[in-house]
Amino acid sequence: MEAKAQVSSNKYAADIFSIREAEERISSYIHKTPVLSSETLNSISGRKLYFKCECFQKGGAFKFRGACNAVFSLDEDQAAKGVVTHSSGNHAAALSLAAKLRGIPAHIVIPKGAPKCKVENVIRYGGKVIWSEPTLQSREEVAAKVLQETGAVLIHPYNDGRIMSGQGTIALELLEQAPQIDTIIVPISGGGLISGVAIAAKSINPGIRILAAEPKGADDSARSREAGSIVTLSETKTIADGLRAFLGDITWPVVRDLVDDIIVVEDKEIVEAMRLCYEVLKVAVEPSGAIGLAAVLSNSFKNNPISKDCNNVAIVISGGNVDLDVLWKSLNY
């Protein structure tokens, strides 16, 4: 089912104006990431592909855009007390780096068992790690305690208009770099990335298609679309550790209204896409970053009627932070 809603400037937590403001706010801090292409992958997919490589962003993932926008949106009094978040991955490192650039503390609640490379990034960027149990309830309880003790400002990983606006700057760059694209495929988890991209892209080109890519073992977004309301899962099981969150009440309306369809793929398809990214595109990606390529190569996409009009397809490679031992194991999946 294709999205038909028009983008209203006051309907969602972000709009094209807040996204352009974010672009101006963060432009001196972020990398303008490249768009790569491959004739080999074009041939395999049967369409022209354009890879927006956020794996080359500071912190190794797109998350730095939103975190940077949120941190530099704070007034001096708010910033002085620092920021806090709960995250097992790239948002934790991104917020630590953004806080370091502004010279303020970052308190990062991380669940036990988080990917080693992502924890090391938090420490490298000066974030203060506070451990929680590996449940959302524990993460939120520990974060609430830190908030009470420090008076810091909570920066949610995705359910925040400032975060959505920062992530939306990807679409502004992408449509300048490759204005011919007719489709953008974006990983989906909590929805901050795809919300920002959808709002920006459809404000500029209302006819552009926005497709979400989601792992079968964490397909809450696809189920939410089918149900017409937010669905959460009792557990998730996917190699894509960055795609295990659930939609928030701020991101859900954008996903509901502006995302044209959700392509669900198996983990084995994600692993094969990772292999192609390494061997053909020559880019290091994490599983969450490879899912867009997995989606465009999947039978679920090829058999979807929407695919017949997807000729110039942009794929957001969301990040490249992967533990090497996990990578070696996954390539023998």
PDB file of all heavy atoms in Angstrom, residues 188-222:
ATOM      1  N   ILE A 188      14.621   0.344   9.208  1.00  0.00           N
ATOM      2  CA  ILE A 188      13.650   0.827  10.190  1.00  0.00           C
ATOM      3  C   ILE A 188      13.787   0.049  11.491  1.00  0.00           C
ATOM      4  O   ILE A 188      13.973  -1.161  11.497  1.00  0.00           O
ATOM      5  CB  ILE A 188      12.206   0.726   9.651  1.00  0.00           C
ATOM      6  CG1 ILE A 188      11.240   1.490  10.561  1.00  0.00           C
ATOM      7  CG2 ILE A 188      11.769  -0.719   9.478  1.00  0.00           C
ATOM      8  CD1 ILE A 188       9.860   1.703   9.969  1.00  0.00           C
ATOM      9  N   SER A 189      13.721   0.811  12.578  1.00  0.00           N
ATOM     10  CA  SER A 189      13.735   0.238  13.917  1.00  0.00           C
ATOM     11  C   SER A 189      12.816   1.090  14.776  1.00  0.00           C
ATOM     12  O   SER A 189      11.601   0.946  14.741  1.00  0.00           O
ATOM     13  CB  SER A 189      15.166   0.187  14.467  1.00  0.00           C
ATOM     14  OG  SER A 189      15.211  -0.400  15.733  1.00  0.00           O
ATOM     15  N   GLY A 190      13.392   2.073  15.493  1.00  0.00           N
ATOM     16  CA  GLY A 190      12.553   2.997  16.248  1.00  0.00           C
ATOM     17  C   GLY A 190      11.869   4.034  15.378  1.00  0.00           C
ATOM     18  O   GLY A 190      10.894   4.663  15.789  1.00  0.00           O
ATOM     19  N   GLY A 191      12.409   4.244  14.175  1.00  0.00           N
ATOM     20  CA  GLY A 191      11.749   5.117  13.209  1.00  0.00           C
ATOM     21  C   GLY A 191      12.294   6.524  13.082  1.00  0.00           C
ATOM     22  O   GLY A 191      11.795   7.301  12.262  1.00  0.00           O
ATOM     23  N   GLY A 192      13.315   6.876  13.850  1.00  0.00           N
ATOM     24  CA  GLY A 192      13.850   8.232  13.763  1.00  0.00           C
ATOM     25  C   GLY A 192      14.476   8.546  12.422  1.00  0.00           C
ATOM     26  O   GLY A 192      14.267   9.629  11.865  1.00  0.00           O
ATOM     27  N   LEU A 193      15.233   7.590  11.890  1.00  0.00           N
ATOM     28  CA  LEU A 193      15.894   7.789  10.601  1.00  0.00           C
ATOM     29  C   LEU A 193      14.886   7.882   9.467  1.00  0.00           C
ATOM     30  O   LEU A 193      14.886   8.857   8.698  1.00  0.00           O
ATOM     31  CB  LEU A 193      16.874   6.643  10.351  1.00  0.00           C
ATOM     32  CG  LEU A 193      17.513   6.574   8.960  1.00  0.00           C
ATOM     33  CD1 LEU A 193      18.301   7.835   8.653  1.00  0.00           C
ATOM     34  CD2 LEU A 193      18.402   5.332   8.845  1.00  0.00           C
ATOM     35  N   ILE A 194      14.019   6.900   9.359  1.00  0.00           N
ATOM     36  CA  ILE A 194      13.098   6.890   8.221  1.00  0.00           C
ATOM     37  C   ILE A 194      12.089   8.031   8.316  1.00  0.00           C
ATOM     38  O   ILE A 194      11.660   8.578   7.292  1.00  0.00           O
ATOM     39  CB  ILE A 194      12.390   5.527   8.080  1.00  0.00           C
ATOM     40  CG1 ILE A 194      11.808   5.392   6.663  1.00  0.00           C
ATOM     41  CG2 ILE A 194      11.334   5.312   9.158  1.00  0.00           C
ATOM     42  CD1 ILE A 194      11.383   3.979   6.301  1.00  0.00           C
ATOM     43  N   SER A 195      11.727   8.447   9.527  1.00  0.00           N
ATOM     44  CA  SER A 195      10.805   9.583   9.674  1.00  0.00           C
ATOM     45  C   SER A 195      11.425  10.856   9.120  1.00  0.00           C
ATOM     46  O   SER A 195      10.792  11.584   8.341  1.00  0.00           O
ATOM     47  CB  SER A 195      10.433   9.778  11.144  1.00  0.00           C
ATOM     48  OG  SER A 195       9.686   8.695  11.624  1.00  0.00           O
ATOM     49  N   GLY A 196      12.650  11.136   9.521  1.00  0.00           N
ATOM     50  CA  GLY A 196      13.312  12.340   9.036  1.00  0.00           C
ATOM     51  C   GLY A 196      13.526  12.314   7.539  1.00  0.00           C
ATOM     52  O   GLY A 196      13.283  13.302   6.840  1.00  0.00           O
ATOM     53  N   VAL A 197      13.968  11.162   7.021  1.00  0.00           N
ATOM     54  CA  VAL A 197      14.206  11.021   5.587  1.00  0.00           C
ATOM     55  C   VAL A 197      12.901  11.178   4.811  1.00  0.00           C
ATOM     56  O   VAL A 197      12.849  11.862   3.779  1.00  0.00           O
ATOM     57  CB  VAL A 197      14.863   9.661   5.281  1.00  0.00           C
ATOM     58  CG1 VAL A 197      14.847   9.368   3.779  1.00  0.00           C
ATOM     59  CG2 VAL A 197      16.298   9.645   5.803  1.00  0.00           C
ATOM     60  N   ALA A 198      11.832  10.547   5.294  1.00  0.00           N
ATOM     61  CA  ALA A 198      10.546  10.613   4.580  1.00  0.00           C
ATOM     62  C   ALA A 198      10.002  12.030   4.532  1.00  0.00           C
ATOM     63  O   ALA A 198       9.526  12.495   3.481  1.00  0.00           O
ATOM     64  CB  ALA A 198       9.538   9.680   5.251  1.00  0.00           C
ATOM     65  N   ILE A 199      10.059  12.726   5.653  1.00  0.00           N
ATOM     66  CA  ILE A 199       9.539  14.102   5.696  1.00  0.00           C
ATOM     67  C   ILE A 199      10.316  14.999   4.740  1.00  0.00           C
ATOM     68  O   ILE A 199       9.733  15.757   3.944  1.00  0.00           O
ATOM     69  CB  ILE A 199       9.589  14.657   7.132  1.00  0.00           C
ATOM     70  CG1 ILE A 199       8.559  13.940   8.012  1.00  0.00           C
ATOM     71  CG2 ILE A 199       9.328  16.161   7.141  1.00  0.00           C
ATOM     72  CD1 ILE A 199       8.712  14.217   9.495  1.00  0.00           C
ATOM     73  N   ALA A 200      11.648  14.914   4.803  1.00  0.00           N
ATOM     74  CA  ALA A 200      12.474  15.758   3.941  1.00  0.00           C
ATOM     75  C   ALA A 200      12.282  15.415   2.471  1.00  0.00           C
ATOM     76  O   ALA A 200      12.058  16.289   1.628  1.00  0.00           O
ATOM     77  CB  ALA A 200      13.947  15.625   4.334  1.00  0.00           C
ATOM     78  N   ALA A 201      12.363  14.123   2.153  1.00  0.00           N
ATOM     79  CA  ALA A 201      12.306  13.710   0.748  1.00  0.00           C
ATOM     80  C   ALA A 201      10.950  14.018   0.126  1.00  0.00           C
ATOM     81  O   ALA A 201      10.876  14.521  -1.000  1.00  0.00           O
ATOM     82  CB  ALA A 201      12.616  12.220   0.639  1.00  0.00           C
ATOM     83  N   LYS A 202       9.863  13.758   0.845  1.00  0.00           N
ATOM     84  CA  LYS A 202       8.532  13.982   0.273  1.00  0.00           C
ATOM     85  C   LYS A 202       8.150  15.457   0.283  1.00  0.00           C
ATOM     86  O   LYS A 202       7.265  15.857  -0.484  1.00  0.00           O
ATOM     87  CB  LYS A 202       7.498  13.130   1.014  1.00  0.00           C
ATOM     88  CG  LYS A 202       7.729  11.640   0.789  1.00  0.00           C
ATOM     89  CD  LYS A 202       6.462  10.819   0.820  1.00  0.00           C
ATOM     90  CE  LYS A 202       6.747   9.376   0.416  1.00  0.00           C
ATOM     91  NZ  LYS A 202       5.573   8.656  -0.036  1.00  0.00           N
ATOM     92  N   SER A 203       8.806  16.258   1.092  1.00  0.00           N
ATOM     93  CA  SER A 203       8.595  17.705   1.023  1.00  0.00           C
ATOM     94  C   SER A 203       9.224  18.266  -0.243  1.00  0.00           C
ATOM     95  O   SER A 203       8.689  19.193  -0.863  1.00  0.00           O
ATOM     96  CB  SER A 203       9.189  18.391   2.249  1.00  0.00           C
ATOM     97  OG  SER A 203       8.519  18.015   3.432  1.00  0.00           O
ATOM     98  N   ILE A 204      10.344  17.705  -0.649  1.00  0.00           N
ATOM     99  CA  ILE A 204      11.053  18.152  -1.844  1.00  0.00           C
ATOM    100  C   ILE A 204      10.451  17.526  -3.098  1.00  0.00           C
ATOM    101  O   ILE A 204      10.261  18.189  -4.120  1.00  0.00           O
ATOM    102  CB  ILE A 204      12.554  17.807  -1.731  1.00  0.00           C
ATOM    103  CG1 ILE A 204      13.186  18.587  -0.565  1.00  0.00           C
ATOM    104  CG2 ILE A 204      13.289  18.101  -3.036  1.00  0.00           C
ATOM    105  CD1 ILE A 204      14.575  18.106  -0.193  1.00  0.00           C
ATOM    106  N   ASN A 205      10.151  16.238  -3.038  1.00  0.00           N
ATOM    107  CA  ASN A 205       9.608  15.496  -4.175  1.00  0.00           C
ATOM    108  C   ASN A 205       8.462  14.611  -3.692  1.00  0.00           C
ATOM    109  O   ASN A 205       8.684  13.475  -3.263  1.00  0.00           O
ATOM    110  CB  ASN A 205      10.700  14.641  -4.818  1.00  0.00           C
ATOM    111  CG  ASN A 205      10.179  13.780  -5.960  1.00  0.00           C
ATOM    112  OD1 ASN A 205       9.013  13.895  -6.364  1.00  0.00           O
ATOM    113  ND2 ASN A 205      11.026  12.910  -6.490  1.00  0.00           N
ATOM    114  N   PRO A 206       7.232  15.104  -3.720  1.00  0.00           N
ATOM    115  CA  PRO A 206       6.093  14.344  -3.190  1.00  0.00           C
ATOM    116  C   PRO A 206       5.894  12.974  -3.833  1.00  0.00           C
ATOM    117  O   PRO A 206       5.294  12.084  -3.223  1.00  0.00           O
ATOM    118  CB  PRO A 206       4.895  15.254  -3.478  1.00  0.00           C
ATOM    119  CG  PRO A 206       5.473  16.622  -3.565  1.00  0.00           C
ATOM    120  CD  PRO A 206       6.833  16.451  -4.189  1.00  0.00           C
ATOM    121  N   GLY A 207       6.408  12.779  -5.038  1.00  0.00           N
ATOM    122  CA  GLY A 207       6.210  11.512  -5.722  1.00  0.00           C
ATOM    123  C   GLY A 207       7.239  10.445  -5.396  1.00  0.00           C
ATOM    124  O   GLY A 207       7.099   9.292  -5.829  1.00  0.00           O
ATOM    125  N   ILE A 208       8.252  10.791  -4.628  1.00  0.00           N
ATOM    126  CA  ILE A 208       9.304   9.825  -4.333  1.00  0.00           C
ATOM    127  C   ILE A 208       8.761   8.734  -3.419  1.00  0.00           C
ATOM    128  O   ILE A 208       7.891   8.976  -2.586  1.00  0.00           O
ATOM    129  CB  ILE A 208      10.519  10.533  -3.701  1.00  0.00           C
ATOM    130  CG1 ILE A 208      11.786   9.681  -3.843  1.00  0.00           C
ATOM    131  CG2 ILE A 208      10.264  10.888  -2.234  1.00  0.00           C
ATOM    132  CD1 ILE A 208      13.069  10.437  -3.543  1.00  0.00           C
ATOM    133  N   ARG A 209       9.241   7.504  -3.624  1.00  0.00           N
ATOM    134  CA  ARG A 209       8.810   6.390  -2.785  1.00  0.00           C
ATOM    135  C   ARG A 209       9.797   6.184  -1.637  1.00  0.00           C
ATOM    136  O   ARG A 209      11.020   6.179  -1.851  1.00  0.00           O
ATOM    137  CB  ARG A 209       8.708   5.099  -3.611  1.00  0.00           C
ATOM    138  CG  ARG A 209       7.464   5.013  -4.466  1.00  0.00           C
ATOM    139  CD  ARG A 209       7.521   3.834  -5.417  1.00  0.00           C
ATOM    140  NE  ARG A 209       8.517   4.062  -6.454  1.00  0.00           N
ATOM    141  CZ  ARG A 209       8.312   4.791  -7.552  1.00  0.00           C
ATOM    142  NH1 ARG A 209       7.138   5.362  -7.760  1.00  0.00           N
ATOM    143  NH2 ARG A 209       9.262   4.965  -8.442  1.00  0.00           N
ATOM    144  N   ILE A 210       9.264   5.976  -0.442  1.00  0.00           N
ATOM    145  CA  ILE A 210      10.071   5.673   0.729  1.00  0.00           C
ATOM    146  C   ILE A 210       9.721   4.265   1.187  1.00  0.00           C
ATOM    147  O   ILE A 210       8.577   3.984   1.556  1.00  0.00           O
ATOM    148  CB  ILE A 210       9.812   6.666   1.886  1.00  0.00           C
ATOM    149  CG1 ILE A 210      10.017   8.114   1.419  1.00  0.00           C
ATOM    150  CG2 ILE A 210      10.700   6.326   3.074  1.00  0.00           C
ATOM    151  CD1 ILE A 210      11.440   8.453   1.009  1.00  0.00           C
ATOM    152  N   LEU A 211      10.701   3.377   1.138  1.00  0.00           N
ATOM    153  CA  LEU A 211      10.512   1.990   1.548  1.00  0.00           C
ATOM    154  C   LEU A 211      11.363   1.694   2.775  1.00  0.00           C
ATOM    155  O   LEU A 211      12.523   2.109   2.846  1.00  0.00           O
ATOM    156  CB  LEU A 211      10.892   1.032   0.419  1.00  0.00           C
ATOM    157  CG  LEU A 211      10.173   1.220  -0.918  1.00  0.00           C
ATOM    158  CD1 LEU A 211      10.662   0.187  -1.921  1.00  0.00           C
ATOM    159  CD2 LEU A 211       8.661   1.122  -0.743  1.00  0.00           C
ATOM    160  N   ALA A 212      10.784   0.993   3.723  1.00  0.00           N
ATOM    161  CA  ALA A 212      11.517   0.573   4.913  1.00  0.00           C
ATOM    162  C   ALA A 212      12.029  -0.844   4.712  1.00  0.00           C
ATOM    163  O   ALA A 212      11.383  -1.667   4.055  1.00  0.00           O
ATOM    164  CB  ALA A 212      10.609   0.632   6.139  1.00  0.00           C
ATOM    165  N   ALA A 213      13.197  -1.125   5.279  1.00  0.00           N
ATOM    166  CA  ALA A 213      13.752  -2.481   5.270  1.00  0.00           C
ATOM    167  C   ALA A 213      13.840  -2.957   6.713  1.00  0.00           C
ATOM    168  O   ALA A 213      14.404  -2.268   7.571  1.00  0.00           O
ATOM    169  CB  ALA A 213      15.129  -2.488   4.616  1.00  0.00           C
ATOM    170  N   GLU A 214      13.283  -4.142   6.968  1.00  0.00           N
ATOM    171  CA  GLU A 214      13.171  -4.625   8.349  1.00  0.00           C
ATOM    172  C   GLU A 214      13.484  -6.126   8.415  1.00  0.00           C
ATOM    173  O   GLU A 214      13.090  -6.881   7.532  1.00  0.00           O
ATOM    174  CB  GLU A 214      11.752  -4.370   8.855  1.00  0.00           C
ATOM    175  CG  GLU A 214      11.538  -4.698  10.322  1.00  0.00           C
ATOM    176  CD  GLU A 214      10.186  -4.217  10.822  1.00  0.00           C
ATOM    177  OE1 GLU A 214       9.163  -4.525  10.163  1.00  0.00           O
ATOM    178  OE2 GLU A 214      10.146  -3.551  11.862  1.00  0.00           O
ATOM    179  N   PRO A 215      14.196  -6.555   9.476  1.00  0.00           N
ATOM    180  CA  PRO A 215      14.475  -7.988   9.607  1.00  0.00           C
ATOM    181  C   PRO A 215      13.261  -8.772  10.077  1.00  0.00           C
ATOM    182  O   PRO A 215      12.469  -8.279  10.879  1.00  0.00           O
ATOM    183  CB  PRO A 215      15.597  -8.032  10.656  1.00  0.00           C
ATOM    184  CG  PRO A 215      15.441  -6.779  11.450  1.00  0.00           C
ATOM    185  CD  PRO A 215      14.855  -5.755  10.520  1.00  0.00           C
ATOM    186  N   LYS A 216      13.136  -9.997   9.585  1.00  0.00           N
ATOM    187  CA  LYS A 216      12.002 -10.850   9.933  1.00  0.00           C
ATOM    188  C   LYS A 216      11.915 -11.076  11.444  1.00  0.00           C
ATOM    189  O   LYS A 216      10.818 -11.154  12.013  1.00  0.00           O
ATOM    190  CB  LYS A 216      12.141 -12.192   9.211  1.00  0.00           C
ATOM    191  CG  LYS A 216      11.047 -13.205   9.521  1.00  0.00           C
ATOM    192  CD  LYS A 216       9.694 -12.756   9.011  1.00  0.00           C
ATOM    193  CE  LYS A 216       8.657 -13.845   9.214  1.00  0.00           C
ATOM    194  NZ  LYS A 216       7.296 -13.391   8.807  1.00  0.00           N
ATOM    195  N   GLY A 217      13.070 -11.175  12.097  1.00  0.00           N
ATOM    196  CA  GLY A 217      13.084 -11.444  13.530  1.00  0.00           C
ATOM    197  C   GLY A 217      12.788 -10.238  14.396  1.00  0.00           C
ATOM    198  O   GLY A 217      12.815 -10.336  15.636  1.00  0.00           O
ATOM    199  N   ALA A 218      12.516  -9.094  13.779  1.00  0.00           N
ATOM    200  CA  ALA A 218      12.157  -7.878  14.523  1.00  0.00           C
ATOM    201  C   ALA A 218      11.208  -7.051  13.652  1.00  0.00           C
ATOM    202  O   ALA A 218      11.428  -5.865  13.405  1.00  0.00           O
ATOM    203  CB  ALA A 218      13.404  -7.073  14.882  1.00  0.00           C
ATOM    204  N   ASP A 219      10.133  -7.699  13.205  1.00  0.00           N
ATOM    205  CA  ASP A 219       9.259  -7.090  12.192  1.00  0.00           C
ATOM    206  C   ASP A 219       8.065  -6.356  12.797  1.00  0.00           C
ATOM    207  O   ASP A 219       6.959  -6.380  12.254  1.00  0.00           O
ATOM    208  CB  ASP A 219       8.789  -8.147  11.196  1.00  0.00           C
ATOM    209  CG  ASP A 219       7.940  -9.242  11.841  1.00  0.00           C
ATOM    210  OD1 ASP A 219       7.934  -9.330  13.083  1.00  0.00           O
ATOM    211  OD2 ASP A 219       7.290  -9.995  11.101  1.00  0.00           O
ATOM    212  N   ASP A 220       8.298  -5.669  13.908  1.00  0.00           N
ATOM    213  CA  ASP A 220       7.204  -4.954  14.579  1.00  0.00           C
ATOM    214  C   ASP A 220       6.629  -3.831  13.722  1.00  0.00           C
ATOM    215  O   ASP A 220       5.429  -3.546  13.797  1.00  0.00           O
ATOM    216  CB  ASP A 220       7.680  -4.387  15.920  1.00  0.00           C
ATOM    217  CG  ASP A 220       8.822  -3.411  15.757  1.00  0.00           C
ATOM    218  OD1 ASP A 220       9.945  -3.856  15.442  1.00  0.00           O
ATOM    219  OD2 ASP A 220       8.625  -2.191  15.910  1.00  0.00           O
ATOM    220  N   SER A 221       7.466  -3.176  12.916  1.00  0.00           N
ATOM    221  CA  SER A 221       6.966  -2.077  12.086  1.00  0.00           C
ATOM    222  C   SER A 221       5.993  -2.588  11.025  1.00  0.00           C
ATOM    223  O   SER A 221       4.945  -1.979  10.788  1.00  0.00           O
ATOM    224  CB  SER A 221       8.127  -1.332  11.418  1.00  0.00           C
ATOM    225  OG  SER A 221       8.979  -0.752  12.381  1.00  0.00           O
ATOM    226  N   ALA A 222       6.344  -3.695  10.390  1.00  0.00           N
ATOM    227  CA  ALA A 222       5.445  -4.285   9.393  1.00  0.00           C
ATOM    228  C   ALA A 222       4.130  -4.702  10.053  1.00  0.00           C
ATOM    229  O   ALA A 222       3.046  -4.497   9.496  1.00  0.00           O
ATOM    230  CB  ALA A 222       6.114  -5.484   8.724  1.00  0.00           C
TER     231      ALA A 222
END
